[in-house]
Amino acid sequence: SRYETQIASCARHEMEIRVRLGADAEGTIKAIDVYTLSNTGAYGEHGPTTVGLSGHKSIPLYHTPEAFRFSYDVVYTNRMSAGAYRGYGATQGIFAVESAVSELAAELGMDPVKFRELNMVKEGDVMPAYYGETADSCALDRCVARVKDMIGWDGKYPRRQVSGSKVRGVGLAMAMQGSSISGVDVAGATIKINDDGFYNLIIGAADMGTGCDTTLAQVAAECLGCELDDIVVFGADTDISPYDSGSYASATTYTTGVAVMKACEELKKKICKLGAEMMEVDENKVDFDGSYVFYDYDCDEDGDAATADENSMTSTAADDKADLAEKKVSIEDIALKITVFNNGELQVVPQQSSPISPPPFMVGMVEVEVDTETGNVDVLDYVAAVDCGTPINPNLARVQTEGGIAQGIGMALWEDVQYTDKGKIRNNSFMQYKIPTRQDIGNIRVAFESSYEKTGPFGAKSIGELVIDTPCPAIAEAIYNATGVRLTELPMTPEKIAMGILKNKMEAKDQMKENAKTGAKVDR
């Protein structure tokens, strides 16, 4: 039941993160220090792994400073067990680091966009805080430029007064994630041709709404030169599927996609070999175009010499060339052949594991409207630019991004897990635990800035977890720019904002009184 789900499942890891930043007068970041205290709840299955991402996926967003440090502690508490949730610790770490970066930019009197442009990681940079990997595919700079133009940053930053109590502010945040767990995740893919000419693709990755069945079928169709409808996908079934670590860690398209590519290449070689046998020619001199295995005259060792001067060819040689050029066998005939008088099978089962985890990047910008009397926040416009390598299915990538942003907005403004003093959860239904509806999240616009990741399928990286990471720090910065209230605790409720505005007014009054006293003394 919903009640059981709310009180007896697991929640995201509650974290308290302390960030120290140092920069020179020109705005170049010189030092980053991150300490995370993570609450794993009553059990610790994900305790030591989730906390690592709070630093490893936030610090590397910036050029390697002269000094950086990441340390953490994980504690057991009498609370609901913490588990895996989209973002897996990176969401919390990015909220803290990006908020601190925006605060540092304000201290320096710099536009937060220009501050990030000065310090962000760029393609070709080595990332010591990210396992020493190199950002071989990184369009983060182009993502920043894209969203800045989409939202009209220069005309809206930092704030605009709308009416007596309504003010609008803009904010931004950057994010990175990973593509699988390097050296750990393994994916297998089985592909075989049936006697009717269709292909069966059998995978161990579970499609839990990500659309991986469609995406991986697209990869197979592209490799085999056939139509998407020619690929019949059989999803995860542990009785018959090849081994796959699982649909987690943003691994499916990146890792399983390469396994599918390997499978298709191996299958093409088998198809070409059988087709060559049927045509009674050398298998090294045939090719496959998705419909036919045909004799490729250009593969002939004497092909260049034979075509160099058509006029010098004898009539016999010309006839032989014409006969060879016409030799071909259809994929349907090859598929039928495997059922009779054939001692082999057209099926392969390769595996894939990557020694690296190339990070995708994202930049989000948001415009909010804050009622300074009540503290209420309305998200008016959220724009995002994503570098997930080369998107294989842009439509699926877009809805992944929109869904992740919606979840991030909920985390930023509404979702609040509350406990009693004895650790009993208070939120046992959606009456107590609020999530946003479509009407609450405003306008969401998504763009893609493609890079090319050479280790991924057709240049692709991951996208699944990255897209939840930017809303919390971006909305926090927009609220600050609109009201002067800098919030560092989630969710950012109207009460916290209203109390922050009141506190700022009281401090301003006290400062005015102090200035008046100082001025009076000077006059005397």
Side-chain angles (χ1 to χ4, degrees), residues 481-503:
N481 285 332
T483 65
V485 176
R486 191 172 293 282
L487 299 174
T488 59
E489 183 180 354
L490 301 176
M492 295 173 284
T493 61
E495 180 184 10
K496 294 175 184 176
I497 296 169
M499 294 302 293
I501 292 172
L502 181 61
K503 180 182 177 182

Side-chain angles (χ1 to χ4, degrees), residues 270-298:
K270 286 193 171 187
I271 291 172
C272 286
K273 181 178 180 180
L274 181 55
E277 291 175 359
M278 294 172 67
M279 293 188 292
E280 299 181 339
V281 297
D282 187 344
E283 66 180 270
N284 295 317
K285 297 178 181 178
V286 300
D287 203 353
F288 178 56
D289 64 3
S291 299
Y292 295 93
V293 173
F294 59 92
Y295 188 90
D296 188 357
Y297 196 76
D298 290 334

Side-chain angles (χ1 to χ4, degrees), residues 144-170:
V144 170
R146 184 72 174 273
V147 294
K148 182 180 179 182
D149 180 65
M150 289 172 67
I151 207 167
W153 178 270
D154 290 336
K156 297 178 179 178
Y157 173 77
R159 69 179 62 83
R160 295 182 297 157
Q161 192 74 34
V162 179
S163 64
S165 64
K166 302 288 183 69
V167 61
R168 295 180 180 180
V170 289

Side-chain angles (χ1 to χ4, degrees), residues 429-442:
S429 76
F430 284 143
M431 290 296 291
Q432 294 86 20
Y433 189 82
K434 301 297 184 181
I435 61 174
T437 68
R438 181 62 185 90
Q439 292 178 319
D440 295 317
I441 58 177

Side-chain angles (χ1 to χ4, degrees), residues 509-524:
K509 286 182 179 180
D510 291 342
Q511 187 62 49
M512 289 178 63
K513 291 178 180 179
E514 186 64 30
N515 291 342
K517 291 179 181 179
T518 305
K521 290 180 181 178
V522 171
D523 290 341
R524 284 195 294 270

Side-chain angles (χ1 to χ4, degrees), residues 166-244:
K166 302 288 183 69
V167 61
R168 295 180 180 180
V170 289
L172 83 153
M174 305 190 307
M176 62 177 280
Q177 200 76 35
S179 301
S180 79
I181 304 175
S182 57
V184 173
D185 287 342
V186 178
T190 298
I191 192 163
K192 67 185 183 74
I193 188 170
N194 297 318
D195 56 3
D196 55 6
F198 287 88
Y199 299 93
N200 285 149
L201 175 62
I202 308 168
I203 55 176
D207 191 335
M208 50 186 182
T210 58
C212 73
D213 286 359
T214 301
T215 302
L216 296 175
Q218 286 182 279
V219 172
E222 182 71 18
C223 291
L224 294 169
C226 65
E227 296 296 324
L228 183 62
D229 290 342
D230 293 334
I231 308 294
V232 181
V233 180
F234 291 87
D237 182 337
T238 52
D239 284 338
I240 61 173
S241 297
Y243 179 75
D244 193 294

Side-chain angles (χ1 to χ4, degrees), residues 78-89:
N78 187 29
R79 296 267 182 102
M80 176 187 287
S81 177
Y85 190 85
R86 194 178 203 168
Y88 202 75

